[in-house]
Amino acid sequence: MSRRPWDLAFTAEPEGVAALRRIMRLHLGIWGLQDLTDDAQLCLSELVSNVITHVGNGTPATLAVSMSGTRLRIEVHDPDTRVLPTLADADSNSEAGRGMALVDAVADRWGVQLRGDRKVTWCELATGLASPNGHVERPGVSRAESLLSVYVGAQMSRSTDLSWLGAAVAEEAVITAITDFLHWLRAHGFDVDEVLDHAQARFEGQITEVGGLPCRIAR
């Protein structure tokens, strides 16, 4: 899965935070990182609120989201290089720095970079990915990839490393493998439709458990 970096210029205002959170949720869904939505939205809100509070309401800013290795990286750029985020002590009564304390509690790491005419406040969240373009490591995904490696290797006499497979080739290989299993089920007297229904129900249940969107395969 390709996860291309993206950025969005915005004006740092309280009424715009909700829209930014929706955009973040949409992109994480596209990237298959739905599990990170709550933490990513929290970090985004606090980074933007930090700009509003300490730099000024209406400040022109930029949101940039990318992969840093296997971590999700969220950056908020603003033009004030003099005012740096602070982290409040746990026993402090001051409101200043409380937002960054939340970021510090949720993120794997965070920091600030000065780049000439702007400041970049960033944080990174662990994704559970084995590689930046890979899938979240769950037992079902790992088993499927192992099986597909063997299947493709047998069919095409190529390395069992799936990294060379394009999306269309990978999809066709999966369809072929499923079709072969359906032939095997029919040859051994199983009700193919019943097996597919059971598999679909289990898949939807597992997707719902991890916060994904269930889908139905039409037949």
Side-chain angles (χ1 to χ4, degrees), residues 93-112:
N93 292 322
S94 173
E95 292 298 320
R98 290 297 179 90
M100 295 312 299
L102 289 174
V103 173
D104 185 68
V106 170
D108 265 20
R109 55 189 182 184
W110 68 275
V112 182

Side-chain angles (χ1 to χ4, degrees), residues 177-194:
I178 292 173
T179 302
D180 286 347
F181 278 118
L182 295 180
H183 282 301
W184 184 92
L185 289 167
R186 183 179 181 185
H188 287 79
F190 290 92
D191 185 326
V192 171
D193 288 334
E194 183 177 353

